[in-house]
Amino acid sequence: GAVVSQHPSRVICKSGTSVKIECRSLDFQATTMFWYRQFPKKSLMLMATSNEGSKATYEQGVEKDKFLINHASLTLSTLTVTSAHPEDSSFYICSAPAGGDTYEQYFGPGTRLTVT
Amino acid sequence: GQNIDQPTEMTATEGAIVQINCTYQTSGFNGLFWYQQHAGEAPTFLSYNVLDGLEEKGRFSSFLSRSKGYSYLLLKELQMKDSASYLCAVLDSNYQLIWGAGTKLIIKP
């Protein structure tokens, strides 16, 4: 099946700094990508939908100025957590639709962010 | 509001069968997914049901009843590697995935 990669897999940063997470579709093009965060033992929470060539669509309650999303190409979307705080520590996962006649999503391996 | 319910945790024995239930209340329905997620990893696709009935795929089967807002994932011949969380997700009328909190399945020898 298709592969979605994320980089980095783990990152530790200090409060107040910014962190960029990359999501790439490796063998297919994705005009849309999704960004999720997941707290321990909790459900996946959709943060935003990244759209190639246009602005991302953010879910209610997600600060667009704090979580900057850029869909630079048909294979790359980036999430930048700006001015990170310890409460931003979480597991961030991106996904891309499989396309065609299926609504399956291919997920990246996730990024574990720890803010100290 | 939209709601997906599934048990928090289940325990089963290696070689046995386990059924993980999922009930949902969503604004519209365009299909239900089951994903497997090992700790610290991304979810991987298991099944997609949009019509009522049972879909079998190897050791895993998924059942859907739209009238009851109910699905289950059936795992047969359990193996230790099946220890993971199993996520139920519904595609609503806006084609947005609504996720359950997941069921942590513990397999004992």
Side-chain angles (χ1 to χ4, degrees), chain B residues 5-13 17-22 34 70-75 78 82-86 102-108:
Chain B
D5 285 317
Q6 46 182 135
T8 304
E9 187 173 297
M10 298 182 71
T11 302
T13 305
I17 299 173
V18 71
Q19 177 175 311
I20 302 174
N21 296 324
C22 170
W34 283 96
Y70 167 70
S71 172
Y72 67 73
L73 179 69
L74 190 71
L75 293 76
L78 287 170
D82 297 330
S83 293
S85 287
Y86 291 85
T103 298
K104 182 179 180 181
L105 178 63
I106 300 169
I107 309 296
K108 295 186 174 180

PDB file of all heavy atoms in Angstrom, chain B residues 5-13 17-22 34 70-75 78 82-86 102-108:
ATOM      1  N   ASP B   5     -18.897   4.889  20.822  1.00  0.00           N
ATOM      2  CA  ASP B   5     -18.614   4.192  22.068  1.00  0.00           C
ATOM      3  C   ASP B   5     -18.021   2.828  21.803  1.00  0.00           C
ATOM      4  O   ASP B   5     -18.548   2.058  20.991  1.00  0.00           O
ATOM      5  CB  ASP B   5     -19.894   4.015  22.895  1.00  0.00           C
ATOM      6  CG  ASP B   5     -20.322   5.308  23.558  1.00  0.00           C
ATOM      7  OD1 ASP B   5     -19.436   6.009  24.095  1.00  0.00           O
ATOM      8  OD2 ASP B   5     -21.521   5.622  23.526  1.00  0.00           O
ATOM      9  N   GLN B   6     -16.951   2.538  22.492  1.00  0.00           N
ATOM     10  CA  GLN B   6     -16.358   1.212  22.455  1.00  0.00           C
ATOM     11  C   GLN B   6     -15.714   0.961  23.812  1.00  0.00           C
ATOM     12  O   GLN B   6     -15.369   1.912  24.517  1.00  0.00           O
ATOM     13  CB  GLN B   6     -15.351   1.068  21.308  1.00  0.00           C
ATOM     14  CG  GLN B   6     -14.351   2.188  21.136  1.00  0.00           C
ATOM     15  CD  GLN B   6     -13.423   1.976  19.946  1.00  0.00           C
ATOM     16  OE1 GLN B   6     -13.177   2.878  19.171  1.00  0.00           O
ATOM     17  NE2 GLN B   6     -12.868   0.789  19.813  1.00  0.00           N
ATOM     18  N   PRO B   7     -15.591  -0.309  24.208  1.00  0.00           N
ATOM     19  CA  PRO B   7     -15.020  -0.585  25.528  1.00  0.00           C
ATOM     20  C   PRO B   7     -13.580  -0.075  25.617  1.00  0.00           C
ATOM     21  O   PRO B   7     -12.851  -0.077  24.635  1.00  0.00           O
ATOM     22  CB  PRO B   7     -15.082  -2.115  25.637  1.00  0.00           C
ATOM     23  CG  PRO B   7     -15.273  -2.609  24.244  1.00  0.00           C
ATOM     24  CD  PRO B   7     -15.971  -1.543  23.496  1.00  0.00           C
ATOM     25  N   THR B   8     -13.200   0.331  26.802  1.00  0.00           N
ATOM     26  CA  THR B   8     -11.858   0.880  27.004  1.00  0.00           C
ATOM     27  C   THR B   8     -10.782  -0.191  26.879  1.00  0.00           C
ATOM     28  O   THR B   8      -9.740   0.030  26.261  1.00  0.00           O
ATOM     29  CB  THR B   8     -11.764   1.538  28.375  1.00  0.00           C
ATOM     30  OG1 THR B   8     -12.775   2.530  28.484  1.00  0.00           O
ATOM     31  CG2 THR B   8     -10.399   2.183  28.580  1.00  0.00           C
ATOM     32  N   GLU B   9     -11.059  -1.341  27.462  1.00  0.00           N
ATOM     33  CA  GLU B   9     -10.036  -2.391  27.494  1.00  0.00           C
ATOM     34  C   GLU B   9     -10.692  -3.762  27.513  1.00  0.00           C
ATOM     35  O   GLU B   9     -11.767  -3.939  28.086  1.00  0.00           O
ATOM     36  CB  GLU B   9      -9.174  -2.198  28.758  1.00  0.00           C
ATOM     37  CG  GLU B   9      -7.977  -3.101  28.862  1.00  0.00           C
ATOM     38  CD  GLU B   9      -7.095  -2.743  30.046  1.00  0.00           C
ATOM     39  OE1 GLU B   9      -6.547  -1.633  30.072  1.00  0.00           O
ATOM     40  OE2 GLU B   9      -6.964  -3.593  30.948  1.00  0.00           O
ATOM     41  N   MET B  10     -10.038  -4.709  26.862  1.00  0.00           N
ATOM     42  CA  MET B  10     -10.498  -6.094  26.874  1.00  0.00           C
ATOM     43  C   MET B  10      -9.285  -7.005  26.996  1.00  0.00           C
ATOM     44  O   MET B  10      -8.186  -6.660  26.531  1.00  0.00           O
ATOM     45  CB  MET B  10     -11.271  -6.437  25.589  1.00  0.00           C
ATOM     46  CG  MET B  10     -12.540  -5.621  25.384  1.00  0.00           C
ATOM     47  SD  MET B  10     -13.450  -6.078  23.898  1.00  0.00           S
ATOM     48  CE  MET B  10     -14.081  -7.682  24.370  1.00  0.00           C
ATOM     49  N   THR B  11      -9.507  -8.160  27.601  1.00  0.00           N
ATOM     50  CA  THR B  11      -8.439  -9.141  27.750  1.00  0.00           C
ATOM     51  C   THR B  11      -8.906 -10.459  27.150  1.00  0.00           C
ATOM     52  O   THR B  11     -10.058 -10.852  27.339  1.00  0.00           O
ATOM     53  CB  THR B  11      -8.080  -9.339  29.226  1.00  0.00           C
ATOM     54  OG1 THR B  11      -7.679  -8.079  29.774  1.00  0.00           O
ATOM     55  CG2 THR B  11      -6.931 -10.323  29.375  1.00  0.00           C
ATOM     56  N   ALA B  12      -8.015 -11.130  26.431  1.00  0.00           N
ATOM     57  CA  ALA B  12      -8.353 -12.413  25.827  1.00  0.00           C
ATOM     58  C   ALA B  12      -7.120 -13.317  25.852  1.00  0.00           C
ATOM     59  O   ALA B  12      -5.994 -12.853  26.092  1.00  0.00           O
ATOM     60  CB  ALA B  12      -8.855 -12.218  24.408  1.00  0.00           C
ATOM     61  N   THR B  13      -7.353 -14.573  25.583  1.00  0.00           N
ATOM     62  CA  THR B  13      -6.281 -15.568  25.632  1.00  0.00           C
ATOM     63  C   THR B  13      -5.798 -15.908  24.227  1.00  0.00           C
ATOM     64  O   THR B  13      -6.587 -15.987  23.276  1.00  0.00           O
ATOM     65  CB  THR B  13      -6.764 -16.846  26.322  1.00  0.00           C
ATOM     66  OG1 THR B  13      -7.274 -16.496  27.618  1.00  0.00           O
ATOM     67  CG2 THR B  13      -5.642 -17.856  26.479  1.00  0.00           C
ATOM     68  N   ILE B  17     -11.033 -16.352  20.598  1.00  0.00           N
ATOM     69  CA  ILE B  17     -11.757 -15.399  19.757  1.00  0.00           C
ATOM     70  C   ILE B  17     -12.206 -14.241  20.634  1.00  0.00           C
ATOM     71  O   ILE B  17     -12.608 -14.434  21.790  1.00  0.00           O
ATOM     72  CB  ILE B  17     -13.000 -16.064  19.121  1.00  0.00           C
ATOM     73  CG1 ILE B  17     -12.582 -17.239  18.233  1.00  0.00           C
ATOM     74  CG2 ILE B  17     -13.806 -15.047  18.307  1.00  0.00           C
ATOM     75  CD1 ILE B  17     -13.771 -18.049  17.706  1.00  0.00           C
ATOM     76  N   VAL B  18     -12.160 -13.032  20.086  1.00  0.00           N
ATOM     77  CA  VAL B  18     -12.639 -11.878  20.832  1.00  0.00           C
ATOM     78  C   VAL B  18     -13.462 -10.988  19.906  1.00  0.00           C
ATOM     79  O   VAL B  18     -13.170 -10.876  18.718  1.00  0.00           O
ATOM     80  CB  VAL B  18     -11.476 -11.088  21.470  1.00  0.00           C
ATOM     81  CG1 VAL B  18     -10.658 -10.356  20.412  1.00  0.00           C
ATOM     82  CG2 VAL B  18     -11.997 -10.089  22.493  1.00  0.00           C
ATOM     83  N   GLN B  19     -14.504 -10.395  20.474  1.00  0.00           N
ATOM     84  CA  GLN B  19     -15.366  -9.484  19.719  1.00  0.00           C
ATOM     85  C   GLN B  19     -15.319  -8.110  20.362  1.00  0.00           C
ATOM     86  O   GLN B  19     -15.607  -7.969  21.551  1.00  0.00           O
ATOM     87  CB  GLN B  19     -16.804 -10.005  19.715  1.00  0.00           C
ATOM     88  CG  GLN B  19     -17.804  -9.107  19.010  1.00  0.00           C
ATOM     89  CD  GLN B  19     -19.183  -9.728  18.923  1.00  0.00           C
ATOM     90  OE1 GLN B  19     -19.362 -10.877  18.525  1.00  0.00           O
ATOM     91  NE2 GLN B  19     -20.198  -8.953  19.289  1.00  0.00           N
ATOM     92  N   ILE B  20     -14.977  -7.112  19.584  1.00  0.00           N
ATOM     93  CA  ILE B  20     -14.908  -5.735  20.080  1.00  0.00           C
ATOM     94  C   ILE B  20     -16.082  -4.968  19.483  1.00  0.00           C
ATOM     95  O   ILE B  20     -16.208  -4.872  18.257  1.00  0.00           O
ATOM     96  CB  ILE B  20     -13.581  -5.064  19.687  1.00  0.00           C
ATOM     97  CG1 ILE B  20     -12.401  -5.863  20.221  1.00  0.00           C
ATOM     98  CG2 ILE B  20     -13.536  -3.638  20.221  1.00  0.00           C
ATOM     99  CD1 ILE B  20     -11.040  -5.358  19.752  1.00  0.00           C
ATOM    100  N   ASN B  21     -16.928  -4.451  20.341  1.00  0.00           N
ATOM    101  CA  ASN B  21     -18.134  -3.761  19.886  1.00  0.00           C
ATOM    102  C   ASN B  21     -17.929  -2.257  19.749  1.00  0.00           C
ATOM    103  O   ASN B  21     -17.099  -1.665  20.446  1.00  0.00           O
ATOM    104  CB  ASN B  21     -19.282  -4.018  20.856  1.00  0.00           C
ATOM    105  CG  ASN B  21     -19.672  -5.478  20.912  1.00  0.00           C
ATOM    106  OD1 ASN B  21     -19.640  -6.172  19.901  1.00  0.00           O
ATOM    107  ND2 ASN B  21     -20.032  -5.954  22.090  1.00  0.00           N
ATOM    108  N   CYS B  22     -18.724  -1.676  18.871  1.00  0.00           N
ATOM    109  CA  CYS B  22     -18.692  -0.233  18.659  1.00  0.00           C
ATOM    110  C   CYS B  22     -20.110   0.238  18.352  1.00  0.00           C
ATOM    111  O   CYS B  22     -20.764  -0.321  17.470  1.00  0.00           O
ATOM    112  CB  CYS B  22     -17.760   0.102  17.500  1.00  0.00           C
ATOM    113  SG  CYS B  22     -17.825   1.828  16.940  1.00  0.00           S
ATOM    114  N   TRP B  34     -12.486   0.200  10.883  1.00  0.00           N
ATOM    115  CA  TRP B  34     -11.730  -0.315  12.021  1.00  0.00           C
ATOM    116  C   TRP B  34     -10.246  -0.190  11.687  1.00  0.00           C
ATOM    117  O   TRP B  34      -9.796  -0.574  10.604  1.00  0.00           O
ATOM    118  CB  TRP B  34     -12.064  -1.779  12.301  1.00  0.00           C
ATOM    119  CG  TRP B  34     -13.375  -1.986  12.998  1.00  0.00           C
ATOM    120  CD1 TRP B  34     -14.578  -2.288  12.430  1.00  0.00           C
ATOM    121  CD2 TRP B  34     -13.607  -1.898  14.407  1.00  0.00           C
ATOM    122  NE1 TRP B  34     -15.551  -2.395  13.401  1.00  0.00           N
ATOM    123  CE2 TRP B  34     -14.986  -2.171  14.622  1.00  0.00           C
ATOM    124  CE3 TRP B  34     -12.797  -1.628  15.517  1.00  0.00           C
ATOM    125  CZ2 TRP B  34     -15.561  -2.172  15.894  1.00  0.00           C
ATOM    126  CZ3 TRP B  34     -13.375  -1.639  16.780  1.00  0.00           C
ATOM    127  CH2 TRP B  34     -14.742  -1.905  16.964  1.00  0.00           C
ATOM    128  N   TYR B  70     -24.479   0.022  15.045  1.00  0.00           N
ATOM    129  CA  TYR B  70     -23.644  -0.949  15.765  1.00  0.00           C
ATOM    130  C   TYR B  70     -22.711  -1.671  14.812  1.00  0.00           C
ATOM    131  O   TYR B  70     -23.080  -2.020  13.693  1.00  0.00           O
ATOM    132  CB  TYR B  70     -24.575  -1.944  16.460  1.00  0.00           C
ATOM    133  CG  TYR B  70     -23.929  -3.181  16.998  1.00  0.00           C
ATOM    134  CD1 TYR B  70     -23.082  -3.127  18.104  1.00  0.00           C
ATOM    135  CD2 TYR B  70     -24.183  -4.429  16.419  1.00  0.00           C
ATOM    136  CE1 TYR B  70     -22.494  -4.280  18.605  1.00  0.00           C
ATOM    137  CE2 TYR B  70     -23.595  -5.578  16.911  1.00  0.00           C
ATOM    138  CZ  TYR B  70     -22.767  -5.506  18.014  1.00  0.00           C
ATOM    139  OH  TYR B  70     -22.191  -6.638  18.508  1.00  0.00           O
ATOM    140  N   SER B  71     -21.505  -1.894  15.295  1.00  0.00           N
ATOM    141  CA  SER B  71     -20.530  -2.676  14.554  1.00  0.00           C
ATOM    142  C   SER B  71     -19.720  -3.498  15.538  1.00  0.00           C
ATOM    143  O   SER B  71     -19.640  -3.170  16.727  1.00  0.00           O
ATOM    144  CB  SER B  71     -19.595  -1.754  13.768  1.00  0.00           C
ATOM    145  OG  SER B  71     -18.523  -2.463  13.182  1.00  0.00           O
ATOM    146  N   TYR B  72     -19.148  -4.569  15.066  1.00  0.00           N
ATOM    147  CA  TYR B  72     -18.161  -5.270  15.875  1.00  0.00           C
ATOM    148  C   TYR B  72     -17.018  -5.761  15.004  1.00  0.00           C
ATOM    149  O   TYR B  72     -17.175  -5.989  13.806  1.00  0.00           O
ATOM    150  CB  TYR B  72     -18.770  -6.418  16.690  1.00  0.00           C
ATOM    151  CG  TYR B  72     -19.293  -7.608  15.900  1.00  0.00           C
ATOM    152  CD1 TYR B  72     -18.428  -8.522  15.292  1.00  0.00           C
ATOM    153  CD2 TYR B  72     -20.670  -7.847  15.821  1.00  0.00           C
ATOM    154  CE1 TYR B  72     -18.924  -9.622  14.596  1.00  0.00           C
ATOM    155  CE2 TYR B  72     -21.159  -8.946  15.132  1.00  0.00           C
ATOM    156  CZ  TYR B  72     -20.300  -9.827  14.519  1.00  0.00           C
ATOM    157  OH  TYR B  72     -20.787 -10.922  13.838  1.00  0.00           O
ATOM    158  N   LEU B  73     -15.881  -5.887  15.646  1.00  0.00           N
ATOM    159  CA  LEU B  73     -14.695  -6.455  15.015  1.00  0.00           C
ATOM    160  C   LEU B  73     -14.438  -7.787  15.704  1.00  0.00           C
ATOM    161  O   LEU B  73     -14.364  -7.847  16.932  1.00  0.00           O
ATOM    162  CB  LEU B  73     -13.498  -5.530  15.198  1.00  0.00           C
ATOM    163  CG  LEU B  73     -12.171  -5.988  14.613  1.00  0.00           C
ATOM    164  CD1 LEU B  73     -12.237  -5.962  13.075  1.00  0.00           C
ATOM    165  CD2 LEU B  73     -11.020  -5.100  15.090  1.00  0.00           C
ATOM    166  N   LEU B  74     -14.333  -8.843  14.931  1.00  0.00           N
ATOM    167  CA  LEU B  74     -14.133 -10.184  15.469  1.00  0.00           C
ATOM    168  C   LEU B  74     -12.727 -10.653  15.111  1.00  0.00           C
ATOM    169  O   LEU B  74     -12.362 -10.654  13.935  1.00  0.00           O
ATOM    170  CB  LEU B  74     -15.170 -11.137  14.887  1.00  0.00           C
ATOM    171  CG  LEU B  74     -15.270 -12.522  15.516  1.00  0.00           C
ATOM    172  CD1 LEU B  74     -15.887 -12.408  16.912  1.00  0.00           C
ATOM    173  CD2 LEU B  74     -16.114 -13.450  14.648  1.00  0.00           C
ATOM    174  N   LEU B  75     -11.968 -11.010  16.099  1.00  0.00           N
ATOM    175  CA  LEU B  75     -10.613 -11.491  15.877  1.00  0.00           C
ATOM    176  C   LEU B  75     -10.541 -12.955  16.293  1.00  0.00           C
ATOM    177  O   LEU B  75     -10.850 -13.307  17.431  1.00  0.00           O
ATOM    178  CB  LEU B  75      -9.591 -10.697  16.689  1.00  0.00           C
ATOM    179  CG  LEU B  75      -9.358  -9.238  16.329  1.00  0.00           C
ATOM    180  CD1 LEU B  75     -10.487  -8.334  16.804  1.00  0.00           C
ATOM    181  CD2 LEU B  75      -8.038  -8.758  16.902  1.00  0.00           C
ATOM    182  N   LEU B  78      -6.409 -15.745  18.111  1.00  0.00           N
ATOM    183  CA  LEU B  78      -5.622 -14.614  18.593  1.00  0.00           C
ATOM    184  C   LEU B  78      -4.142 -14.958  18.749  1.00  0.00           C
ATOM    185  O   LEU B  78      -3.772 -16.033  19.223  1.00  0.00           O
ATOM    186  CB  LEU B  78      -6.172 -14.124  19.927  1.00  0.00           C
ATOM    187  CG  LEU B  78      -7.494 -13.366  19.849  1.00  0.00           C
ATOM    188  CD1 LEU B  78      -8.057 -13.145  21.243  1.00  0.00           C
ATOM    189  CD2 LEU B  78      -7.303 -12.040  19.126  1.00  0.00           C
ATOM    190  N   ASP B  82      -1.459  -9.464  18.243  1.00  0.00           N
ATOM    191  CA  ASP B  82      -2.738  -8.755  18.120  1.00  0.00           C
ATOM    192  C   ASP B  82      -2.971  -7.801  19.293  1.00  0.00           C
ATOM    193  O   ASP B  82      -3.955  -7.052  19.302  1.00  0.00           O
ATOM    194  CB  ASP B  82      -3.900  -9.763  18.040  1.00  0.00           C
ATOM    195  CG  ASP B  82      -3.825 -10.649  16.808  1.00  0.00           C
ATOM    196  OD1 ASP B  82      -3.298 -10.182  15.773  1.00  0.00           O
ATOM    197  OD2 ASP B  82      -4.289 -11.808  16.882  1.00  0.00           O
ATOM    198  N   SER B  83      -2.109  -7.858  20.283  1.00  0.00           N
ATOM    199  CA  SER B  83      -2.206  -6.906  21.394  1.00  0.00           C
ATOM    200  C   SER B  83      -1.989  -5.501  20.845  1.00  0.00           C
ATOM    201  O   SER B  83      -0.909  -5.178  20.341  1.00  0.00           O
ATOM    202  CB  SER B  83      -1.150  -7.215  22.462  1.00  0.00           C
ATOM    203  OG  SER B  83      -1.402  -8.442  23.094  1.00  0.00           O
ATOM    204  N   ALA B  84      -3.021  -4.695  20.924  1.00  0.00           N
ATOM    205  CA  ALA B  84      -2.988  -3.353  20.336  1.00  0.00           C
ATOM    206  C   ALA B  84      -4.283  -2.647  20.719  1.00  0.00           C
ATOM    207  O   ALA B  84      -5.152  -3.242  21.361  1.00  0.00           O
ATOM    208  CB  ALA B  84      -2.859  -3.427  18.806  1.00  0.00           C
ATOM    209  N   SER B  85      -4.395  -1.408  20.297  1.00  0.00           N
ATOM    210  CA  SER B  85      -5.679  -0.714  20.426  1.00  0.00           C
ATOM    211  C   SER B  85      -6.407  -0.817  19.100  1.00  0.00           C
ATOM    212  O   SER B  85      -5.788  -0.769  18.028  1.00  0.00           O
ATOM    213  CB  SER B  85      -5.458   0.756  20.781  1.00  0.00           C
ATOM    214  OG  SER B  85      -5.040   0.884  22.116  1.00  0.00           O
ATOM    215  N   TYR B  86      -7.717  -0.962  19.192  1.00  0.00           N
ATOM    216  CA  TYR B  86      -8.539  -1.078  17.989  1.00  0.00           C
ATOM    217  C   TYR B  86      -9.507   0.093  17.970  1.00  0.00           C
ATOM    218  O   TYR B  86     -10.286   0.292  18.892  1.00  0.00           O
ATOM    219  CB  TYR B  86      -9.262  -2.434  17.969  1.00  0.00           C
ATOM    220  CG  TYR B  86      -8.270  -3.548  17.768  1.00  0.00           C
ATOM    221  CD1 TYR B  86      -7.591  -4.104  18.847  1.00  0.00           C
ATOM    222  CD2 TYR B  86      -7.962  -4.005  16.486  1.00  0.00           C
ATOM    223  CE1 TYR B  86      -6.635  -5.098  18.663  1.00  0.00           C
ATOM    224  CE2 TYR B  86      -7.015  -4.995  16.281  1.00  0.00           C
ATOM    225  CZ  TYR B  86      -6.354  -5.528  17.377  1.00  0.00           C
ATOM    226  OH  TYR B  86      -5.394  -6.503  17.179  1.00  0.00           O
ATOM    227  N   GLY B 102     -10.990   4.098  21.168  1.00  0.00           N
ATOM    228  CA  GLY B 102     -10.177   2.898  21.000  1.00  0.00           C
ATOM    229  C   GLY B 102     -10.378   1.890  22.121  1.00  0.00           C
ATOM    230  O   GLY B 102     -10.700   2.246  23.249  1.00  0.00           O
ATOM    231  N   THR B 103     -10.192   0.630  21.787  1.00  0.00           N
ATOM    232  CA  THR B 103     -10.254  -0.459  22.752  1.00  0.00           C
ATOM    233  C   THR B 103      -8.886  -1.097  22.841  1.00  0.00           C
ATOM    234  O   THR B 103      -8.358  -1.590  21.841  1.00  0.00           O
ATOM    235  CB  THR B 103     -11.277  -1.527  22.321  1.00  0.00           C
ATOM    236  OG1 THR B 103     -12.580  -0.940  22.266  1.00  0.00           O
ATOM    237  CG2 THR B 103     -11.283  -2.697  23.298  1.00  0.00           C
ATOM    238  N   LYS B 104      -8.314  -1.063  24.024  1.00  0.00           N
ATOM    239  CA  LYS B 104      -7.010  -1.703  24.220  1.00  0.00           C
ATOM    240  C   LYS B 104      -7.229  -3.189  24.448  1.00  0.00           C
ATOM    241  O   LYS B 104      -7.911  -3.590  25.395  1.00  0.00           O
ATOM    242  CB  LYS B 104      -6.291  -1.083  25.418  1.00  0.00           C
ATOM    243  CG  LYS B 104      -4.899  -1.669  25.651  1.00  0.00           C
ATOM    244  CD  LYS B 104      -4.209  -1.005  26.820  1.00  0.00           C
ATOM    245  CE  LYS B 104      -2.836  -1.600  27.037  1.00  0.00           C
ATOM    246  NZ  LYS B 104      -2.148  -0.984  28.209  1.00  0.00           N
ATOM    247  N   LEU B 105      -6.682  -3.990  23.553  1.00  0.00           N
ATOM    248  CA  LEU B 105      -6.819  -5.442  23.656  1.00  0.00           C
ATOM    249  C   LEU B 105      -5.528  -6.038  24.204  1.00  0.00           C
ATOM    250  O   LEU B 105      -4.449  -5.828  23.630  1.00  0.00           O
ATOM    251  CB  LEU B 105      -7.136  -6.047  22.286  1.00  0.00           C
ATOM    252  CG  LEU B 105      -7.255  -7.570  22.230  1.00  0.00           C
ATOM    253  CD1 LEU B 105      -8.420  -8.048  23.104  1.00  0.00           C
ATOM    254  CD2 LEU B 105      -7.448  -8.037  20.794  1.00  0.00           C
ATOM    255  N   ILE B 106      -5.663  -6.753  25.296  1.00  0.00           N
ATOM    256  CA  ILE B 106      -4.520  -7.413  25.924  1.00  0.00           C
ATOM    257  C   ILE B 106      -4.652  -8.905  25.692  1.00  0.00           C
ATOM    258  O   ILE B 106      -5.682  -9.501  26.037  1.00  0.00           O
ATOM    259  CB  ILE B 106      -4.474  -7.094  27.430  1.00  0.00           C
ATOM    260  CG1 ILE B 106      -4.346  -5.583  27.639  1.00  0.00           C
ATOM    261  CG2 ILE B 106      -3.321  -7.840  28.091  1.00  0.00           C
ATOM    262  CD1 ILE B 106      -4.568  -5.160  29.083  1.00  0.00           C
ATOM    263  N   ILE B 107      -3.632  -9.502  25.107  1.00  0.00           N
ATOM    264  CA  ILE B 107      -3.633 -10.937  24.845  1.00  0.00           C
ATOM    265  C   ILE B 107      -2.716 -11.623  25.855  1.00  0.00           C
ATOM    266  O   ILE B 107      -1.542 -11.242  25.987  1.00  0.00           O
ATOM    267  CB  ILE B 107      -3.145 -11.264  23.421  1.00  0.00           C
ATOM    268  CG1 ILE B 107      -3.895 -10.433  22.382  1.00  0.00           C
ATOM    269  CG2 ILE B 107      -3.308 -12.762  23.133  1.00  0.00           C
ATOM    270  CD1 ILE B 107      -5.370 -10.700  22.307  1.00  0.00           C
ATOM    271  N   LYS B 108      -3.243 -12.623  26.532  1.00  0.00           N
ATOM    272  CA  LYS B 108      -2.451 -13.359  27.514  1.00  0.00           C
ATOM    273  C   LYS B 108      -2.152 -14.755  26.983  1.00  0.00           C
ATOM    274  O   LYS B 108      -2.970 -15.353  26.296  1.00  0.00           O
ATOM    275  CB  LYS B 108      -3.210 -13.433  28.833  1.00  0.00           C
ATOM    276  CG  LYS B 108      -3.419 -12.085  29.482  1.00  0.00           C
ATOM    277  CD  LYS B 108      -4.045 -12.211  30.861  1.00  0.00           C
ATOM    278  CE  LYS B 108      -4.106 -10.857  31.539  1.00  0.00           C
ATOM    279  NZ  LYS B 108      -4.722 -10.948  32.899  1.00  0.00           N
TER     280      LYS B 108
END
